[in-house]
Amino acid sequence: MSTTQSERLRGLLEPLVSAVDLDLEEIELSRAGRRRVLRVVVDSEEGVDLDACAELSRVISDKLDETDAMGEGEYQLEVTSPGAERPLKEPRHYVRAKGRLARFQLTTPEGEPAGELVARILDLDDDGLDLEVPGVKGRKPTVRRIAFGEIVKARVEIEFSRKDKKEEEA
């Protein structure tokens, strides 16, 4: 998608998404055979349910029909949430992932690759994150601080066997 079209779509869709108290995370336009697919990714502090996506899809579809933002030709509109293994890019993403396990690709201050780290996000501030690194071979977890500048890429990890906080307290 061209930058101009992306900016135009963002300008058109952002007010619609904000009006229903959601954040516009991403707009992606791709090809699927002869058709184009417009994928709109939204999120909020409380997450996004299927009903909210369906309602927003109707609102966006109506708005796109009123304008020539998509040009001529068929397209398919998808309104969705970021998913379970969401990428962490903005500070608000880290806030929403607090308490969750995440996989980080790190770099040194000189820009050299520093490997990968899987850790739980404990807290954050303007400069970086406090993480709990799981212990290896029965050792206790350790706390580690990383600056946002050290993070090349980050993504939430799915946990199938994590105990709920209520279970841990019982």
Side-chain angles (χ1 to χ4, degrees):
M1 171 166 52
S2 70
T3 305
T4 311
Q5 186 178 22
S6 175
E7 290 168 357
R8 197 167 155 210
L9 283 169
R10 184 167 282 282
L12 186 69
L13 302 182
E14 192 114 45
L16 301 175
V17 174
S18 295
V20 292
D21 295 323
L22 296 174
D23 296 319
L24 180 58
E25 297 293 347
E26 187 179 346
I27 298 173
E28 179 184 301
L29 188 59
S30 60
R31 288 231 169 254
R34 292 184 199 172
R35 267 196 255 156
R36 295 172 295 156
V37 177
L38 175 61
R39 187 167 189 250
V40 179
V41 181
V42 296
D43 200 8
S44 77
E45 294 293 324
E46 296 79 33
V48 182
D49 64 20
L50 190 57
D51 292 337
C53 286
E55 181 57 36
L56 185 57
S57 180
R58 284 188 283 278
V59 171
I60 290 174
S61 180
D62 291 345
K63 188 64 162 184
L64 292 173
D65 289 347
E66 291 173 10
T67 69
D68 65 342
M70 289 300 294
E72 295 297 317
E74 292 182 28
Y75 68 91
Q76 179 179 339
L77 173 63
E78 293 179 5
V79 177
T80 185
S81 69
E85 288 187 317
R86 69 171 23 130
L88 304 172
K89 297 177 182 177
E90 304 287 329
R92 70 176 180 264
H93 299 160
Y94 291 98
V95 170
R96 291 175 187 158
K98 202 168 161 182
R100 305 273 314 265
L101 200 62
R103 181 174 301 274
F104 300 90
Q105 282 186 349
L106 302 175
T107 184
T108 65
E110 296 79 34
E112 297 294 319
E116 205 171 69
L117 173 68
V118 176
R120 188 167 312 284
I121 300 171
L122 297 175
D123 207 359
L124 66 144
D125 57 29
D126 293 340
D127 300 320
L129 304 168
D130 293 325
L131 305 173
E132 180 184 74
V133 181
V136 181
K137 295 184 180 177
R139 293 190 179 139
K140 290 186 177 187
T142 58
V143 175
R144 178 174 172 185
R145 172 87 178 164
I146 60 172
F148 285 118
E150 294 177 64
I151 302 170
V152 175
K153 210 168 158 183
R155 178 175 297 280
V156 169
E157 288 281 290
I158 294 178
E159 294 181 84
F160 292 107
S161 62
R162 180 170 184 219
K163 290 181 182 175
D164 198 2
K165 282 188 177 186
K166 290 177 186 174
E167 287 180 37
E168 290 175 359
E169 292 171 358

